[in-house]
Structure formats: structure tokens, C-alpha cells
Amino acid sequence: MTAADELLDDLDRIQSWHLDFYQDLHRHPELSFQERRTAGLVDDRLTELGYEVHAGIGTTGVVGVLRNGEGPVVLARADMDALPVREATGLPYASTATAVDAAGNETPVMHACGHDMHVTCLLAAAQLLADHPDAWSGTFIALFQPAEELGTGAAAMIKDGLAGRIPRPDVALGQHVMGLPHDTVASRPGAALSAADSIRITLHGRGTHGSMPHLGIDPILLGSAVVMRLNAIVSRELAPGHFGVVTVGAFQSGSKSNVIPESTTLLLNLRAYDDRTRAQLREAIERIVKAECEASGSPVPPEFDYTDPFPVTDNSPEVYDRVSAALTEHFGDKAILMEPSTGSEDFSDIPNGLDVPYLYWIWGGFDPETYRRAEAAGTLAKTIPGNHASTFVPVMEPTFRTGASAMTVAAMSYLARSAHTTDGGATAR
Ligand code: ZN
Ligand code: ZN
């Protein structure tokens, strides 16, 4: 029996409190940077458990520090925010909450990405560590961040001086519930989630009567040429087999058949698995847009507005080796190698900001039988809702048990007293 198993034997005792807590969070979702109620509950709980608590970091971020003698410093992170989605799960604890978004509009709110599950699982791991100090030594840091969905919450905590308030971690851990069976945990070394950018591009023409095109500069024709060229970046400029995505998600211009409008707005989304490719995509986009504007005789240079940046999630091979060995010991063949995902996360802004190696993994929230039947029939996309869908909700239990166990096992792979003696100490790096 490993030291982590000793803690997890106690999961039954603490489970009912956590499942009640989860349902309460699910009923009371909060939008990005508005996670005040959630942060307050987390603060209270960490304080009860004996953690030194730092609240209000990067707006609503909360960090609990538990010092338990000599040893490695492990930081584990959960995100707290929900989405402007109207819940359609029909669950007894479904959300009926509404909130006012950053633009001032009232919107329904739902935990459609499972962050309520992340918070609950991290609190459970935090409690198991607090209740069993004899099984480990070192320092455990439980970090709860705002606004993952905007891609800016992790960076906000770093900018607000996170590094100065906590002991320097040796390693950082993060996890996300996804459309996998609820007995399955998956990770990989290296790039696991893509970097992302959104770009708003404004192209300027000169408006005129639709019957007199020679008097104007048509921004719709200009925009069309740009869109055609942008779609050649991945196929003609990236090496074959090298991953990148350039999507034009919106093309907005004009409102009447006989008016050539003044401008066109394009909304783009980019994905890449490394910063060099990301820079290459950005450079190609700007070059093509500027050249097409020049070709059209555009009277004003185009404008590029970069928003919603997400860093690449690039797992440390050393941390992967240690944590995945522990996960395999605990979960057996249900600890699997993760396929790289084209989704994105801002988790890595925290370890990057603190200059520490990290591991991010995913686990499942759905009935394994249903999942395997759908996989065999090729109907996964229809059967298992994706994150952000109005029907996305993990099966509460055993998803909680798997997530709480994975976080505890990963943290204990560094903190267990036996983990120090086998390799001579805190060699997280
Ligand atoms: Zn999400
Ligand atoms: Zn999420």
C-alpha cells in the first residue's frame, strides 16, 4: 500500500461533505472574475482545515499554504469560473443562476466546463493532506484561480504578486474533467494543449454607391481575398504534418445591396503547439493582410487587435515520468497516454510565471459503458457532450473520487516521506 492509498482510504469519510459542496457550487456558478461567493467558500474551508490563506489575488484568486516540515513544495491548481450558458442537464442541482457580464448584459450562467468539480477535488486532496500529516512532509499549496475561460485569470494572479506571497514551488499540478470515461486519467509529456489567440482585424476601404464601384475601395472584395489567402497559411507555409489552425470565425461588413461599405471586420482564431509556430502564424497573417490592403489601395492601414491569449500547455517530461508512474500504480490500465488536444488552458501561466516545471492531465466524467459503446459505434460526438455544451455535466460520483484521487496521488508522488527517501530529497526538477 502506498502512502497515497493510506490517505485515499479516508475518502469515504470525507466524501459526503464534498458532494454537498459540489452541488452547492454547481447551483451557484459565477462568471469569470466574479467568483466572489466561490472564493469565499474556498477561503472558509481552507481556513477550517488549517491552511494559511491568501485571498483576493488577481481579483478573486485564493491560495492556501499548508507547511508540514522539510520536503518539496507542491502547488496544485483549480479554476473556479463558469460560463454564460443556460443549463439544460435537467439535474436536481441544475443552475438557474443569471449574472451581468462584462458588457453589461444579463446572461444565464452554468458550470459547463466542470470547474466546480475541479474546485471540489482540490479541496478534497487539501483535506486528505491536512488530516494525515504523518504520511508526508513538505509544503502543499492549493491554488484556486479566477477567469480561466478568458485565458487571463492565471496571469492576473502572477501579475498581482503571487510569487511574493507563497513559498517557491518545486512543481505545479493541474487537472481538467473532460469527455472520457469516469475511471480514466490521461496525460502526456510535452505539448498537451495548444496555444491560442483570437485576433480582430479591421480592413479599411472607401464607401460608395453600389452602382459606382470605381469611386470607392471595396472592403468586401478585400476581405474575401484576405480570407482566401489566410486559409493557405497552414497548407502552404507550415511543414506537412506540423500542427496549426487558422480559422476565420466571423466576417462582418455592409448591410445593403447597393452600398459598398467603409470597412470589414474579421475575427480569427489561431492554435499551435509551440511558440515558434504561433509566432509564424501571427507573422504570416499580418503579412498577408497588409499586402492585400496594399493591393487594394486601402486608404488606412489595417488594425490588429489580439485578445484571449492562451499559452501552450507543455508538460515537463520529468514531472510526467514521476506522476504518471504513480497514477499507473493507482489506476492501473485506466491511466492512459493523452492525445494532444487542440483545446487551450491558461494553467501554464502560473508555473511559467513562477519558473517551475509542471504537469497537466485530464480525467473523465462519463459512464464507461456508455462511452465504450458509443466509441465502438462511432457515435462519441453525439453521445458524450463536449465541454461548454449546455448538457455537459460529469456523473458526480465516481468522477469526484477519480479526480480527488488523481490529485492526491500526484501530490503524494512528491510529498510522501517514502518519495523523498528513494531519490534523496526534493528533486522535483
Ligand atoms: Zn472551458
Ligand atoms: Zn475548463
Side-chain angles (χ1 to χ4, degrees):
M1 184 159 117
T2 66
D5 289 336
E6 193 186 318
L7 268 64
L8 292 170
D9 271 356
D10 204 17
L11 201 52
D12 285 338
R13 179 181 62 87
I14 69 164
Q15 173 157 312
S16 84
W17 186 93
H18 286 90
L19 295 185
D20 288 349
F21 184 85
Y22 167 75
Q23 291 179 55
D24 180 63
L25 287 188
H26 194 81
R27 267 198 203 97
H28 299 99
E30 295 173 295
L31 292 177
S32 304
F33 287 127
Q34 300 182 17
E35 308 89 339
R36 284 176 288 272
R37 180 180 185 275
T38 309
L41 294 171
V42 167
D43 184 338
D44 290 349
R45 186 61 178 167
L46 289 171
T47 304
E48 270 170 42
L49 293 172
Y51 281 70
E52 162 195 318
V53 179
H54 304 262
I57 307 179
T59 312
T60 60
V62 183
V63 183
V65 180
L66 186 63
R67 294 171 215 264
N68 187 30
E70 289 295 304
V73 179
V74 173
L75 181 150
R77 168 272 204 179
D79 40 11
M80 299 188 287
D81 54 331
L83 287 156
V85 171
R86 187 184 304 280
E87 179 154 359
T89 62
L91 286 168
Y93 52 92
S95 161
T96 54
T98 60
V100 176
D101 67 17
N105 302 313
E106 175 139 344
T107 172
V109 189
M110 174 193 175
H111 267 298
C113 205
H115 298 184
D116 45 354
M117 186 57 82
H118 306 169
V119 170
T120 310
C121 290
L122 179 51
L123 276 180
Q127 176 169 7
L128 292 175
L129 286 159
D131 289 351
H132 296 270
D134 293 344
W136 63 282
S137 73
T139 299
F140 183 65
I141 303 173
L143 180 148
F144 299 82
Q145 77 154 75
E148 185 281 332
E149 296 293 354
L150 303 181
T152 49
M157 290 187 76
I158 293 290
K159 263 189 227 123
D160 199 17
L162 175 67
R165 305 196 206 194
I166 58 170
R168 187 167 188 279
D170 292 300
V171 64
L173 307 169
Q175 62 176 357
H176 205 300
V177 63
M178 297 260 186
L180 288 173
H182 57 46
D183 55 4
T184 300
V185 175
S187 189
R188 65 178 296 110
L193 300 174
S194 72
D197 287 298
S198 291
I199 317 177
R200 169 188 289 271
I201 301 175
T202 309
L203 307 170
H204 297 280
R206 190 163 61 235
T208 180
H209 197 287
S211 67
M212 302 168 208
H214 59 292
L215 300 180
I217 292 170
D218 184 351
I220 294 181
L221 181 62
L222 165 57
S224 303
V226 167
V227 171
M228 295 299 292
R229 290 293 309 244
L230 292 180
N231 275 282
I233 294 173
V234 171
S235 71
R236 300 292 86 175
E237 298 194 31
L238 286 192
H242 197 86
F243 170 79
V245 174
V246 177
T247 289
V248 181
F251 185 125
Q252 297 157 346
S253 192
S255 58
K256 204 168 182 321
S257 64
N258 65 351
V259 178
I260 291 176
E262 293 285 340
S263 66
T264 290
T265 302
L266 303 177
L267 302 180
L268 272 64
N269 195 262
L270 317 190
R271 305 281 160 146
Y273 284 138
D274 58 83
D275 286 334
R276 188 188 291 195
T277 308
R278 183 187 203 178
Q280 186 186 351
L281 295 178
R282 287 181 179 198
E283 183 282 320
I285 289 164
E286 295 203 12
R287 168 172 47 78
I288 287 167
V289 169
K290 286 175 188 162
E292 287 294 346
C293 286
E294 176 103 344
S296 289
S298 180
V300 180
E303 285 139 36
F304 300 89
D305 181 18
Y306 286 83
T307 59
D308 303 336
F310 284 87
V312 65
T313 304
D314 191 4
N315 283 330
S316 151
E318 291 76 29
V319 181
Y320 171 81
D321 284 348
R322 182 190 285 230
V323 174
S324 68
L327 291 173
T328 298
E329 192 173 358
H330 184 81
F331 290 100
D333 63 2
K334 300 295 188 272
I336 62 171
L337 186 68
M338 173 187 170
E339 291 293 321
S341 164
T342 57
S344 303
E345 246 291 345
D346 75 349
F347 159 72
S348 65
D349 278 338
I350 288 174
N352 289 341
L354 301 172
D355 192 25
V356 302
Y358 60 87
L359 187 75
Y360 188 81
W361 66 88
I362 58 175
W363 90 101
F366 296 87
D367 176 56
E369 261 309 292
T370 312
Y371 185 94
R372 276 156 204 144
R373 245 182 286 125
E375 192 177 34
T379 56
L380 264 184
K382 255 192 282 176
T383 311
I384 307 290
N387 293 63
H388 294 197
S390 61
T391 51
F392 178 88
V393 71
V395 178
M396 184 167 60
E397 178 54 18
T399 303
F400 163 73
R401 178 165 290 264
T402 305
S405 301
M407 189 50 91
T408 304
V409 165
M412 285 293 281
S413 73
Y414 286 92
L415 294 171
R417 291 182 192 276
S418 54
H420 314 187
T421 48
T422 52
D423 67 6
T427 53
R429 275 147 207 288

